[in-house]
Amino acid sequence: YQRRVRVLYALYVMNNRDRSQEPFIITSARDLSSFGYFQRSSVNEFLTFTARTVAKRVGAGRCAVKQDEHMIYAQCSPDGYCVLAVCDEHYVSRVAFSMIASVCSDFEAGYRGKWEGANKDDVITWKELEATLTKFQKPEEADKILRLKKEIDETKAVSYTHLRAHETPEHLVCRLLLEKKKKKLNQPTS
């Protein structure tokens, strides 16, 4: 069983109030370290172009768009900004949508009234967006449900190594309880 690598490439917050022009990047965070040094600028251009295209075409609400082996998750507010996450196709959509919803609420709380006049890219430097990008690079550590699933899978792997031939998980529990009871009875009392 091979786990698939889940990569989060970029997070964008874009101003898409004026639908007649291209959306402006209010702030962004990118991690292109999985690409070669000479590929990074063209990958960055591709990701930015794709994010702008999705932001321009999406109305208020949420959507997911597949582009080759990439997924773009977007949530656009009625106020005119859009948060986008660009990931590989294996990234868990529930985690992506919860992440961008969190970014939306944090952005709304911290930058209301400060971004509306943006008419060029990168008008705001938001360090928390970089922190969010880093945190969600490993979705099984950032998301409670995936973390729990990972722990259960690890527990199952350990449990099944203790199974004897033709023993069911129920028999294993009984056997381990009996062994524990025997150990207690054999311990010297002080």
Side-chain angles (χ1 to χ4, degrees):
Y1 163 69
Q2 182 181 2
R3 287 186 181 237
R4 296 177 190 232
V5 177
R6 299 176 181 113
V7 182
L8 174 60
Y9 300 113
L11 288 171
Y12 295 95
V13 180
M14 294 194 168
N15 180 348
N16 67 340
R17 275 186 148 177
D18 187 358
R19 298 283 182 167
S20 65
Q21 21 178 306
E22 288 293 307
F24 296 108
I25 299 171
I26 299 169
T27 186
S28 62
R30 298 173 188 89
D31 180 3
L32 304 178
S33 61
S34 60
F35 297 98
Y37 178 78
F38 295 107
Q39 294 176 312
R40 291 179 188 168
S41 64
S42 57
V43 168
N44 185 36
E45 286 180 31
F46 165 76
L47 296 177
T48 302
F49 172 77
T50 305
R52 283 189 206 276
T53 304
V54 171
K56 187 172 184 174
R57 294 183 180 170
V58 173
R62 297 177 355 166
C63 76
V65 177
K66 184 169 177 23
Q67 173 65 38
D68 299 327
E69 66 272 358
H70 302 94
M71 289 296 295
I72 298 93
Y73 297 97
Q75 182 169 332
C76 296
S77 93
D79 295 338
Y81 70 88
C82 191
V83 176
L84 299 104
V86 183
C87 319
D88 72 345
E89 63 188 341
H90 304 295
Y91 203 86
V92 180
S93 61
R94 182 186 49 73
V95 175
F97 279 124
S98 70
M99 173 186 54
I100 61 176
S102 171
V103 170
C104 277
S105 64
D106 293 347
F107 181 76
E108 185 85 21
Y111 293 98
R112 181 179 283 279
K114 298 176 184 171
W115 65 271
E116 286 83 351
N119 56 3
K120 62 179 185 166
D121 287 343
D122 297 314
V123 294
I124 293 175
T125 303
W126 190 23
K127 294 191 185 295
E128 289 81 10
L129 195 62
E130 286 284 344
T132 301
L133 180 74
T134 303
K135 176 183 174 185
F136 280 88
Q137 285 297 343
K138 295 181 179 177
E140 49 284 326
E141 291 177 15
D143 181 64
K144 291 177 185 175
I145 294 173
L146 283 180
R147 186 172 46 238
L148 184 61
K149 185 180 181 315
K150 180 182 173 188
E151 288 174 8
I152 289 171
D153 288 345
E154 289 171 355
T155 304
K156 279 184 186 177
V158 170
S159 296
Y160 286 121
T161 60
H162 290 81
L163 283 175
R164 294 180 179 159
H166 309 292
E167 188 175 41
T168 66
E170 292 80 18
H171 290 118
L172 171 68
V173 171
C174 290
R175 181 172 55 84
L176 292 175
L177 287 172
L178 286 171
E179 286 175 10
K180 185 178 177 182
K181 189 175 181 181
K182 276 185 190 178
K183 283 182 186 178
K184 262 189 181 177
L185 292 174
N186 291 336
Q187 285 180 350
T189 56
S190 10

